[in-house]
């Protein structure tokens, strides 16, 4: 079996050495070269034909975003970004994902030599997944260009006062959510989202979505009420659960141990929906590595929730939806562009396919 060929691109000689050392510990990965700037990197891409690129977000001569945009337009390939844990780093990384980067890992902010060991498993896992991911040629601009389909609110939506939508996603999920959530009407029932993402990134991600959606989007705070027209995104490093108090629903945050290797975990959210909401919840599981959310989605389906999984063709990584489908957790399996319609069908009590969609660039 051929090894996964990786090119490491970073202006720091120390980081190039450390990343090379980490990656070559995996017997299925071969680091074929490294580059200190994008101009050298592009020459080496042509010479070495790597399967995966690791790319620092901040580079000399040509910044990482400009390089990524040009690369994805002319020679699309899986790129794992290496990002700093700063507000600027978070915004740049989100832009990189929009431009087509597969995923990202975060640099340790203190004691780089020792701290990098903490990301070893993360970067190896993501490079391996990137090598088998679906990467398509992209025009310069957003990875998922064009206005999303928008859902025309059905009559039943106004009566869905006691319903909640729950969505879980991981790798590829930032852009998948940027397609699904803007398609939802502004008066959609309260929506809760778990996207696997570090603490420093979820606030910037929620702000970005807020600028795209007709619903209000915010990073969740402990005790926030789940209300119509609002999306609550679980903050990084916190599990998020749904709790019911009388006729009202709230979110509860905690830092209990990781579940399936994640905090926040989709299973934690989905299991709380199964326990607290039963048939009043509708859930979707989107692209991502691993099996987080599969057991929770099965629990939701068992109590009457309407559950939807993204299909393989439209996923960047078919791990999480595949596991949910395999265990029987998904009522429906549809393409990314049909997820929003299925969610509205679920909370409106309608049959699948009864919700109409239209192309629109309207945001609010």
């Amino acid at each position: 079996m051929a090894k996964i060929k990786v090119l490491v691109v970073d202006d720091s000689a120390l980081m190039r050495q450390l990343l090379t050392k980490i990656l070559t510990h995996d017997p299925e990965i071969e680091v074929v070269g490294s580059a200190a700037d994008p101009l050298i990197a592009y020459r080496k891409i042509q010479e070495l034909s790597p399967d995966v690129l690791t790319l620092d977000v901040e580079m000399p001569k040509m910044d990482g975003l400009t390089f990524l945009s040009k690369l994805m337009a002319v020679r699309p390939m899986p790129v794992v970004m290496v990002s700093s844990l700063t507000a600027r780093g978070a915004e740049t990384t989100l832009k990189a994902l929009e431009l087509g980067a597969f995923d990202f890992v975060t640099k340790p902010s203190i004691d780089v030599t020792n701290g990098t060991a903490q990301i070893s498993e993360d970067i190896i896992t993501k490079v391996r997944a990137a090598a088998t991911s679906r990467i398509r040629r992209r025009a310069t601009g957003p990875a998922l260009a064009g206005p999303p389909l928008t859902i025309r609110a059905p009559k039943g939506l106004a009566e869905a006062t006691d319903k909640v939508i729950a969505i879980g996603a991981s790798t590829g999920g930032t852009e998948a959510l940027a397609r699904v959530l803007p398609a939802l009407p502004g008066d959609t029932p309260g929506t809760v989202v778990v996207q696997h993402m570090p603490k420093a990134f979820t606030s910037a991600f929620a702000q970005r979505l807020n600028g795209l959606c007709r619903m209000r989007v915010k990073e969740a705070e402990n005790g926030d009420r789940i209300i119509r027209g609002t999306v609550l995104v679980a903050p990084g490093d916190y599990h998020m659960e749904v709790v019911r108090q009388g006729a009202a629903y709230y979110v509860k945050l905690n830092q209990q141990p990781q579940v399936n290797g994640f905090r926040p975990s989709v299973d934690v959210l989905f299991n709380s929906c199964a326990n607290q909401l039963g048939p009043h919840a509708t859930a979707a599981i989107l692209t991502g590595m691993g099996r987080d959310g599969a057991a929770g989605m099965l629990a939701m389906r068992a109590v009457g929730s309407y559950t939807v999984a993204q299909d393989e063709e439209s996923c960047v990584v078919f791990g999480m939806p595949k596991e949910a489908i395999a265990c029987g957790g998904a009522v429906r399996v549809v393409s990314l562009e049909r997820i929003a319609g299925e969610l509205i069908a679920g909370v409106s009590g309608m049959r699948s396919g009864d919700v109409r969609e239209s192309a629109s660039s309207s945001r609010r």
Side-chain angles (χ1 to χ4, degrees):
M1 180 177 174
K3 291 188 175 184
I4 300 167
K5 298 188 296 182
V6 180
L7 179 66
V8 174
V9 186
D10 199 297
D11 65 324
S12 165
L14 175 60
M15 282 302 300
R16 292 197 301 274
Q17 293 170 3
L18 289 172
L19 292 173
T20 297
K21 183 178 179 181
I22 288 171
L23 292 169
T24 51
H25 275 304
D26 190 298
E28 296 184 13
I29 296 175
E30 176 186 6
V31 177
V32 294
S34 63
D37 64 60
L39 300 181
I40 297 173
Y42 190 69
R43 290 199 300 270
K44 290 198 173 185
I45 289 170
Q46 293 175 308
E47 296 169 5
L48 303 170
S49 296
D51 301 307
V52 179
L53 195 73
T54 71
L55 177 64
D56 187 7
V57 296
E58 296 179 357
M59 300 286 293
K61 296 186 180 179
M62 180 188 297
D63 69 86
L65 291 181
T66 300
F67 175 64
L68 179 66
S69 178
K70 293 178 180 295
L71 180 67
M72 298 308 285
V74 300
R75 194 190 187 285
M77 63 182 298
V79 178
V80 177
M81 305 300 294
V82 181
S83 172
S84 59
L85 277 169
T86 63
R88 178 181 174 184
E91 292 175 3
T92 303
T93 301
L94 290 172
K95 182 64 176 178
L97 296 172
E98 180 183 332
L99 291 170
F102 171 76
D103 207 338
F104 69 97
V105 295
T106 55
K107 288 181 179 179
S109 56
I110 301 174
D111 191 3
V112 173
T113 303
N114 295 323
T116 305
Q118 301 169 11
I119 69 168
S120 296
E121 182 178 355
D122 193 26
I123 192 167
I124 287 173
T125 298
K126 290 179 179 179
V127 164
R128 287 169 63 106
T132 60
S133 64
R134 297 173 180 270
I135 302 295
R136 302 177 177 89
R137 183 176 300 275
R138 307 186 192 279
T140 53
L144 293 168
L149 293 176
T150 56
I151 305 303
R152 299 176 184 174
K155 293 180 180 179
L157 189 63
E159 301 172 3
T161 57
D162 60 346
K163 302 296 176 68
V164 171
I165 292 173
I167 305 174
S170 187
T171 306
T174 57
E175 292 313 298
L177 287 165
R179 298 297 289 181
V180 172
L181 294 176
L184 299 175
D187 61 347
T188 295
T191 300
V192 285
V193 173
V194 164
Q195 163 70 46
H196 295 158
M197 187 174 283
K199 184 176 182 179
F201 290 74
T202 44
S203 176
F205 179 52
Q207 290 174 27
R208 177 188 172 222
L209 289 174
N210 190 55
L212 298 173
C213 296
R214 290 176 285 175
M215 299 175 74
R216 177 191 179 217
V217 184
K218 69 181 292 285
E219 184 182 50
E221 298 176 78
N222 192 47
D224 274 349
R225 186 173 177 180
I226 302 170
I227 57 175
R228 180 183 293 273
T230 298
V231 179
L232 300 175
V233 178
D237 202 34
Y238 284 85
H239 291 307
M240 182 169 71
E241 298 177 285
V242 173
V243 295
R244 184 169 188 166
Q245 297 180 13
Y249 305 128
Y250 300 85
V251 295
K252 180 180 179 181
L253 305 180
N254 70 72
Q255 288 189 301
Q256 294 296 313
Q258 293 183 348
V259 175
N260 300 316
F262 298 103
R263 189 172 62 210
S265 163
V266 181
D267 265 336
V268 169
L269 175 64
F270 283 2
N271 280 321
S272 72
C273 290
N275 293 331
Q276 298 289 313
L277 306 177
H280 298 288
T282 293
I285 192 162
L286 308 180
T287 173
M289 291 186 290
R291 60 175 298 107
D292 190 31
M297 178 165 275
L298 179 61
M300 290 185 70
R301 184 176 185 181
V303 295
S305 302
Y306 187 64
T307 56
V308 184
Q310 186 179 347
D311 69 4
E312 182 175 7
E313 178 61 28
S314 63
C315 279
V316 173
V317 179
F318 190 47
M320 286 164 49
K322 180 181 179 180
E323 294 294 338
I325 295 164
C327 75
V331 174
R332 292 273 292 163
V333 181
V334 300
S335 68
L336 178 65
E337 297 299 340
R338 294 180 59 190
I339 293 287
E342 292 292 333
L343 292 174
I344 295 302
V347 294
S348 302
M350 304 174 68
R351 296 189 310 274
S352 176
D354 283 350
V355 177
R356 300 185 65 186
E357 303 169 341
S358 61
S360 170
S361 59
S362 174
R363 294 185 176 180
R364 292 273 182 194

